[in-house]
Amino acid sequence: MSVSSVAKEPGPQGEESPVVSPSSPDEKKKREYKEFGHDEEKPTHANVDMSLIELKAEDLYDKEKVDLETIVIEDVFKLLQCDEEGLGDEEALRRIELFGPNKLEQEEQNAFLQFLSFMWNPLSWVMEGAALVAIVLSNGNNQPPDWEDFIGIVLLLFINSAIGFYEERNAGNAVKALMDSLAPKAKVKRNGAWLEIESAGLVPGDMISFKIGDIVPADCRLTEAINVSIDQAALTGESLPQSKKLGDQCFSGSTCKQGEAEGVVISTGANTFFGRAASLVGQDDDTTGHLQKILAQIGSFCLVSIGIFVLAEIFVLYAGFRYSYRRGLNNILVLLIGGIPIAMPTVLSVTLAVGAQQLAKHKAIVTRITAIEELAGVTILCSDKTGTLTTNKLTIDRATIRTYGPFSVDDIMLLAAYASRTENQDAIDSAVVQALGDATRARVGIKLLDFKPFNPVDKRTEITYREEASGKLKRVTKGMTGIIIELCSRNKTEELENKLEADVEEFATRGLRALAVAYEELDGQDPEGEGNGFELIGLLAIFDPPREDTKQTIDDALALGVKVKMVTGDQLAIAKETGRRLGLGDHMYPAKVLKDGPAPGSKHLSLDEMILDADGFAGVFPEHKYEIVKRLQGLGHLCAMTGDGANDAPALSRANVGIAVEGATDAARGAADIVLTEPGLSTIVHAIRGSRVIFQRMRNYSIYACAVTIRIVVCFAILAFAYKFDFPPFMVLIIALLNDGTIMTLSVDRVLPSMTPDSWDLAEIFAYAVAYGIYLTASTVALVSIIMETTFFYDNFGVTFANGVGNGAFPINSNDSQLHMIVYLQVAIISQALIFVTRSHGFFFMERPSFALLGAFCIAQLVSSIIAAYADFGFTQIQPISGGWIGIVWVWNIVWFAPLDWIKFAMKATVIKKLRQRHEAAQAEQAITGVPITRTQSRAASIHESLYSNRVSFIRRAARKVGFGSKITMKPEELQRFSSIQAQRTGATLARNPSRTAAA
């Protein structure tokens, strides 16, 4: 069967990959294969007088002056002022100063400023304001400044900041250790001699060399290329390597799969192909995580609640009761100190940091700590295919091998392995030999007489060998289907050709690349003699197989309510086949639909609906991945994106949670929030479960913190209004310290993860908080009322105050020092006990807390009781109380604690049920109208929300202004350069649009 007109499909070194092409009715269908890539672009000369261009970064990387990627190689040497003997040590050192190191800069945050950042949020401001009130404004009515409260507030702030700083610093150090361990090496020619240095020391103009297995250390132009094949999958998403020749460009981070090469470095560090991708990350100083939005809203709830009652006290106490300046100020300080959940940012940071260290045990390094919270709410996981879902390693699919003669599948595999190189292999030879199981079998029992390696002209390999058992000479060839069938003469029939054509077409529709194998025997003993004619014996199917654990990972993700979508730069047929094998489905679309939208008359009314419904997209460029993630976020979904290459970096940066898989490039790691350090995606399922555990801990604390705020401000405001009760601010500080010490242990509490994505329903949190807060307020007000209005406790338990009041002698002084101590103990005990109710979904005793939480609670209660029994601070209005009063308070709190679970159940059955019904109705309406629910947006946030971020804050921006850190900038339109097509056609674009001359 002759083949003259064909469609080509990319393959490594031009290896075969079939695609059916139509032909005229007069002739049979014919098939050819073409290599990856596009129309060849010839190098151009620089359009400027290079003698006018100085050797400095702004000139070298100004494409309006010269394009180092496309000009002829002689001009490259002239422009870079270098030659093939390499640079000298002094010149290399000078260029390091000019261009900087060949690595992506990582911002080092000043440790002191990072510590202070924990005190830079609205909640901390209120406490800092309270400290100023205590030390500056309290100096009145012939009383000195309130040093005790000032020192206590500052101590509280510093303790919270120190804990948060320590935990977050630990998490950051783990990431830094990971990055430091990945420092690559490079072989460079300096002073005319080859030596090995860290690739960070490379500069433009250096001569470098690399061979099979090496990673290209910087963007370069090849000055020598011997059978070179470069794997650019990590950069462009293409699954097969590319042949490179003299003058071609190789990108930093790509891998040499075959041959040896030398080249001249043209760009380093942030100016490399994927350096520009990494610069997309974190350009906006006001970007924050989803958690900061939640913190801002919870903080606003607490601040508004406090503000309302502070204003009420100002009017009632000063205007109504005519309080003195200092007395009223002390009451306001009680609300400020007791109501502000000062520990909230720290508790959540510690919870996240502890969670980050737990995820590290599953080989997941968290680079943005708030991403853990967002991962708990992720509803859609967009995953790159090559190297993420698949192994990025070609494999022979034995189940689909076709036979055309007397040989079995095992025989065909063995003969194909004979016709493969066993050393310095290309991707397909390696796949064929590895398919044997034992690579040594490829040469056992035969003597190699002649071997013709693959070349782009013949598009096949061929071996002539002597079979040791029989002494006969035999020949095997494998390669492109059209070429091999042309060689066959012994069994080529119309029926065979039709069968072969049908098999190749079936492989093509499934995204499998076909490799034909033919065999002949030689009559004599001359290895170069003619054989008896080739016979087509088999057709092999080559594909990039899914990882072993990927299918289980996807099934687990679906069980957790997370939908997985494949987003790949590979062909549609390959994507569909991979989807079928993984159970993802094959409902996939080509990338062009993202521009054209759904076809007229299709079942999808809009592009958003199509994206939401699709199992995946194929043939996408980085800007498409970015657009998909952006649209899914616009529909109200929290979106995670996995990837491994620079082409994934923009989408990784845009996603709520960007996940760089094992072996990812620096650009992908820089853009990602979570970096996996072992192969496969199974770690993601561990991370999702772990993040949901962490989310439950944070939600439990948020309900608790808001409830305590309501409980303090409402309780002490009512007592002040009803009894002119002046509670000492210092005792509120002690309550806050004991509460914070106990509540920190929530970061390791035992909780069960949910089986569906979590989301912050703040209406539920605030509803629970108000219910609990008002109930606990009632417990305190009732206790004070009984003590002041009746003789109940004296009559039944014989307890009195130190001055004898309480045994029937009235009126009782509302500001009796022992009454203050009783209120302190009652508030301290039951406020901390509330955490056992907020952390459980059923009865509190049905869900065992961690030993840390239980132990901290017991210690705090012991300390509270000891203070009540023995503390006699002269500077504040308290005195110790008897054991009888302590016992009464404990029993009182136990009685009031018991119904808290029933309040929780009542809230679930009424208010919470209605809130959820309303939420479900909103979701149903959104499904009908297509109007997105407001659940989340991208990381962009208002300045108010960014103030709750420890990592992105005013202080960090100030640090940059004084030189502590800097960022690389990049024009958004340069996104297009991250796809292989645009990169290869840059020269043609410049040729059509001549650059400005230096004189211009």
Side-chain angles (χ1 to χ4, degrees):
M1 171 181 178
S2 63
V3 179
S4 58
S5 68
V6 284
K8 300 179 182 177
E9 197 52 55
Q13 302 86 46
E15 288 267 9
E16 48 277 24
S17 57
V19 169
V20 179
S21 66
S23 57
S24 67
D26 300 333
E27 56 183 46
K28 299 176 188 175
K29 288 195 297 183
K30 299 170 184 177
R31 186 180 303 273
E32 268 186 11
Y33 301 81
K34 72 175 180 181
E35 301 177 35
F36 270 121
H38 309 275
D39 296 337
E40 183 177 351
E41 304 289 355
K42 294 183 179 179
T44 60
H45 282 277
N47 293 325
V48 295
D49 181 355
M50 286 182 293
S51 64
L52 300 178
I53 298 180
E54 298 179 32
L55 185 68
K56 53 186 180 181
E58 53 265 38
D59 286 324
L60 282 190
Y61 301 126
D62 184 352
K63 291 206 167 197
E64 292 187 340
K65 291 184 176 179
V66 63
D67 189 347
L68 283 167
E69 299 174 10
T70 59
I71 60 175
V72 295
I73 200 73
E74 291 80 10
D75 282 354
V76 173
F77 280 112
K78 186 176 179 181
L79 181 65
L80 295 179
Q81 301 167 25
C82 62
D83 56 40
E84 295 195 9
E85 290 303 307
L87 302 174
D89 289 337
E90 290 185 7
E91 177 63 14
L93 189 61
R94 186 179 79 87
R95 295 191 183 198
I96 278 281
E97 296 175 358
L98 280 174
F99 299 102
N102 178 36
K103 62 181 181 179
L104 300 182
E105 292 298 328
Q106 286 185 308
E107 184 178 356
E108 291 288 338
Q109 187 171 7
N110 181 274
F112 179 67
L113 292 179
Q114 186 180 1
F115 173 77
L116 291 183
S117 71
F118 281 88
M119 301 185 202
W120 190 262
N121 59 69
L123 297 179
S124 295
W125 293 344
V126 175
M127 290 298 285
E128 290 153 11
L132 289 176
V133 168
I135 195 66
V136 177
L137 300 181
S138 292
N139 191 9
N141 297 127
N142 299 317
Q143 295 183 37
D146 190 352
W147 286 103
E148 296 83 7
D149 286 338
F150 172 78
I151 293 171
I153 293 170
V154 171
L155 182 65
L156 187 62
L157 282 166
F158 269 85
I159 289 174
N160 279 290
S161 295
I163 294 172
F165 171 79
Y166 173 77
E167 294 291 353
E168 190 167 290
R169 200 76 177 170
N170 280 351
N173 289 339
V175 176
K176 189 175 186 302
L178 170 72
M179 296 304 179
D180 290 345
S181 69
L182 298 171
K185 302 289 185 182
K187 192 174 182 182
V188 63
K189 184 181 278 190
R190 293 275 171 86
N191 301 312
W194 289 102
L195 65 152
E196 189 174 68
I197 65 171
E198 284 196 7
S199 64
L202 292 179
V203 293
D206 263 330
M207 291 298 300
I208 59 172
S209 75
F210 50 87
K211 62 184 184 304
I212 183 171
D214 290 346
I215 295 175
V216 180
D219 284 7
C220 64
R221 294 284 298 280
L222 296 185
T223 58
E224 184 177 325
I226 304 173
N227 199 24
V228 174
S229 173
I230 301 292
D231 181 1
Q232 300 179 166
L235 302 171
T236 64
E238 296 166 322
S239 56
L240 294 179
Q242 308 296 298
S243 296
K244 297 289 183 180
K245 59 185 185 301
L246 183 69
D248 283 352
Q249 182 181 10
C250 292
F251 296 124
S252 171
S254 55
T255 305
C256 182
K257 289 294 188 181
Q258 183 179 349
E260 299 179 4
E262 293 182 13
V264 57
V265 173
I266 61 172
S267 57
T268 57
N271 293 295
T272 58
F273 184 76
F274 70 67
R276 286 186 285 267
S279 70
L280 288 174
V281 184
Q283 286 184 26
D284 187 353
D285 285 335
D286 286 333
T287 58
T288 62
H290 184 247
L291 182 60
Q292 277 74 51
K293 299 174 183 293
I294 303 304
L295 274 173
Q297 294 176 69
I298 294 175
S300 297
F301 172 83
C302 296
L303 292 174
V304 169
S305 302
I306 294 166
I308 290 171
F309 284 91
V310 165
L311 288 175
E313 283 203 345
I314 289 174
F315 284 110
V316 173
L317 302 186
Y318 287 117
F321 296 163
R322 303 295 178 182
Y323 269 25
S324 66
Y325 171 73
R326 182 65 178 267
R327 183 181 178 187
L329 204 60
N330 284 341
N331 277 274
I332 291 171
L333 274 176
V334 168
L335 302 193
L336 293 177
I337 298 171
I340 290 294
I342 182 61
M344 184 172 70
T346 302
V347 169
L348 299 188
S349 288
V350 170
T351 301
L352 292 171
V354 170
Q357 301 207 18
Q358 290 171 346
L359 290 181
K361 296 176 183 177
H362 294 293
K363 307 298 182 183
I365 303 296
V366 179
T367 63
R368 182 175 64 89
I369 202 165
T370 55
I372 299 174
E373 177 270 337
E374 295 180 44
L375 185 59
V378 161
T379 52
I380 294 177
L381 171 63
C382 294
S383 177
D384 181 42
K385 178 187 73 71
T386 306
T388 305
L389 296 175
T390 62
T391 62
N392 192 22
K393 183 178 180 182
L394 295 182
T395 302
I396 303 297
D397 190 352
R398 295 179 67 96
T400 60
I401 292 177
R402 302 289 192 266
T403 60
Y404 303 104
F407 293 94
S408 67
V409 169
D410 289 337
D411 293 335
I412 292 169
M413 284 303 309
L414 186 59
L415 291 172
Y418 287 167
S420 303
R421 273 181 144 168
T422 55
E423 54 191 29
N424 196 20
Q425 298 168 307
D426 64 19
I428 288 185
D429 280 358
S430 176
V432 172
V433 172
Q434 291 300 320
L436 288 179
D438 181 2
T440 60
R441 292 179 56 205
R443 290 296 180 264
V444 172
I446 65 169
K447 181 179 181 181
L448 174 64
L449 302 177
D450 182 50
F451 188 88
K452 296 178 181 177
F454 176 88
N455 66 75
V457 178
D458 295 332
K459 291 182 169 52
R460 65 186 181 92
T461 61
E462 181 182 287
I463 184 174
T464 304
Y465 64 93
R466 175 179 287 111
E467 191 175 61
E468 293 179 350
S470 63
K472 292 183 178 180
L473 268 58
K474 299 181 179 182
R475 188 173 289 144
V476 180
T477 184
K478 74 175 194 327
M480 179 179 167
T481 310
I483 298 294
I484 299 299
I485 195 65
E486 279 294 299
L487 294 175
C488 295
S489 57
R490 277 206 293 149
N491 67 338
K492 184 164 65 172
T493 63
E494 183 76 17
E495 182 182 357
L496 178 67
E497 288 185 83
N498 289 339
K499 187 175 187 304
L500 175 66
E501 199 72 22
D503 290 340
V504 172
E505 185 173 348
E506 181 195 344
F507 283 2
T509 59
R510 296 178 54 186
L512 303 174
R513 294 175 169 88
L515 188 69
V517 183
Y519 161 87
E520 71 173 356
E521 295 183 359
L522 280 68
D523 293 332
Q525 294 298 311
D526 181 7
E528 297 182 2
E530 291 289 329
N532 61 352
F534 277 109
E535 172 186 0
L536 180 68
I537 61 173
L539 191 70
L540 309 182
I542 305 173
F543 76 117
D544 180 12
R547 294 183 184 273
E548 291 182 1
D549 62 345
T550 300
K551 189 175 190 311
Q552 184 62 48
T553 299
I554 291 173
D555 291 342
D556 291 344
L558 292 173
L560 290 170
V562 179
K563 182 173 174 58
V564 182
K565 294 181 185 292
M566 183 194 303
V567 184
T568 177
D570 224 328
Q571 301 167 17
L572 182 60
I574 297 174
K576 286 187 174 184
E577 177 67 12
T578 304
R580 282 191 288 265
R581 290 173 183 257
L582 291 174
L584 267 180
D586 58 2
H587 191 198
M588 301 187 186
Y589 299 98
K592 66 178 183 178
V593 302
L594 297 172
K595 178 181 179 182
D596 301 340
S602 71
K603 67 176 183 177
H604 301 117
L605 300 177
S606 66
L607 178 58
D608 286 343
E609 186 180 333
M610 174 181 283
I611 291 175
L612 200 57
D613 180 58
D615 295 322
F617 293 89
V620 298
F621 293 150
E623 55 266 36
H624 297 138
K625 297 181 180 183
Y626 187 92
E627 179 69 16
I628 290 168
V629 170
K630 183 178 178 181
R631 283 183 175 271
L632 288 171
Q633 289 174 329
L635 290 170
H637 288 276
L638 284 180
C639 192
M641 172 78 192
T642 69
D644 63 347
N647 64 318
D648 299 319
L652 290 174
S653 177
R654 172 71 200 194
N656 298 94
V657 184
I659 303 170
V661 298
E662 189 268 342
T665 62
D666 287 348
R669 287 195 299 266
D673 305 306
I674 297 176
V675 178
L676 307 186
T677 58
E678 67 177 14
L681 293 182
S682 58
T683 303
I684 293 180
V685 174
H686 291 300
I688 290 173
R689 288 197 182 103
S691 67
R692 290 185 184 178
V693 166
I694 294 161
F695 180 93
Q696 291 298 322
R697 292 169 180 161
M698 292 191 296
R699 179 182 177 276
N700 296 342
Y701 172 73
S702 299
I703 295 174
Y704 170 81
C706 293
V708 168
T709 293
I710 296 294
R711 184 258 197 289
I712 294 290
V713 297
V714 176
C715 174
F716 288 107
I718 289 176
L719 290 176
F721 299 158
Y723 296 107
K724 296 185 179 181
F725 190 84
D726 301 330
F727 193 71
F730 187 78
M731 299 312 294
V732 173
L733 264 176
I734 293 179
I735 292 173
L737 277 169
L738 291 173
N739 277 359
D740 291 353
T742 301
I743 218 67
M744 289 291 178
T745 58
L746 271 182
S747 61
V748 292
D749 190 26
R750 294 176 72 254
V751 294
L752 294 174
S754 65
M755 292 305 293
T756 55
D758 290 311
S759 63
W760 287 96
D761 194 328
L762 293 179
E764 284 189 19
I765 290 175
F766 297 154
Y768 278 124
V770 170
Y772 294 143
I774 291 176
Y775 177 80
L776 294 183
T777 293
S779 73
T780 305
V781 172
L783 178 63
V784 172
S785 297
I786 291 174
I787 291 174
M788 294 190 64
E789 306 289 349
T790 73
T791 59
F792 175 80
F793 293 115
Y794 172 74
D795 294 340
N796 291 279
F797 306 103
V799 290
T800 63
F801 294 137
N803 56 11
V805 175
N807 61 354
F810 287 99
I812 295 175
N813 182 6
S814 61
N815 289 309
D816 186 280
S817 297
Q818 287 187 310
L819 178 59
H820 285 165
M821 185 65 88
I822 291 170
V823 171
Y824 152 77
L825 184 61
Q826 193 272 334
V827 171
I829 293 173
I830 201 165
S831 294
Q832 286 194 27
L834 176 65
I835 190 59
F836 295 108
V837 175
T838 63
R839 66 172 295 279
S840 60
H841 296 281
F843 287 103
F844 77 92
F845 52 82
M846 298 297 290
E847 297 179 32
R848 180 172 67 83
S850 66
F851 289 115
L853 176 58
L854 198 58
F857 173 78
C858 293
I859 292 172
Q861 301 319 306
L862 180 62
V863 171
S864 295
S865 299
I866 291 173
I867 289 174
Y870 299 106
D872 189 4
F873 305 139
F875 58 83
T876 191
Q877 300 170 346
I878 59 163
Q879 284 184 354
I881 55 178
S882 65
W885 277 116
I886 293 175
I888 287 171
V889 171
W890 268 97
V891 173
W892 179 268
N893 281 337
I894 291 171
V895 170
W896 278 82
F897 178 79
L900 273 170
D901 274 331
W902 293 102
I903 291 176
K904 175 171 61 184
F905 300 148
M907 287 292 293
K908 283 183 180 179
T910 54
V911 177
I912 304 304
K913 182 178 180 181
K914 288 183 178 179
L915 289 173
R916 289 179 178 173
Q917 287 174 344
R918 186 177 66 182
H919 181 68
E920 290 170 1
Q923 285 185 316
E925 182 181 354
Q926 184 266 338
I928 296 172
T929 62
V931 178
I933 54 175
T934 304
R935 178 174 179 180
T936 182
Q937 299 169 10
S938 70
R939 295 183 195 168
S942 69
I943 292 179
H944 170 58
E945 289 158 351
S946 72
L947 292 171
Y948 284 88
S949 171
N950 296 323
R951 294 179 174 275
V952 185
S953 63
F954 169 83
I955 290 182
R956 189 168 184 178
R957 293 195 293 275
R960 288 184 182 170
K961 289 180 181 178
V962 297
F964 280 115
S966 60
K967 274 289 180 183
I968 306 155
T969 59
M970 175 186 167
K971 295 179 180 179
E973 54 267 24
E974 284 205 32
L975 260 177
Q976 293 187 352
R977 280 188 36 79
F978 300 141
S979 65
S980 55
I981 290 179
Q982 281 83 351
Q984 293 186 35
R985 293 193 172 177
T986 301
T989 303
L990 292 175
R992 290 193 298 270
N993 302 278
S995 303
R996 294 181 301 180
T997 63

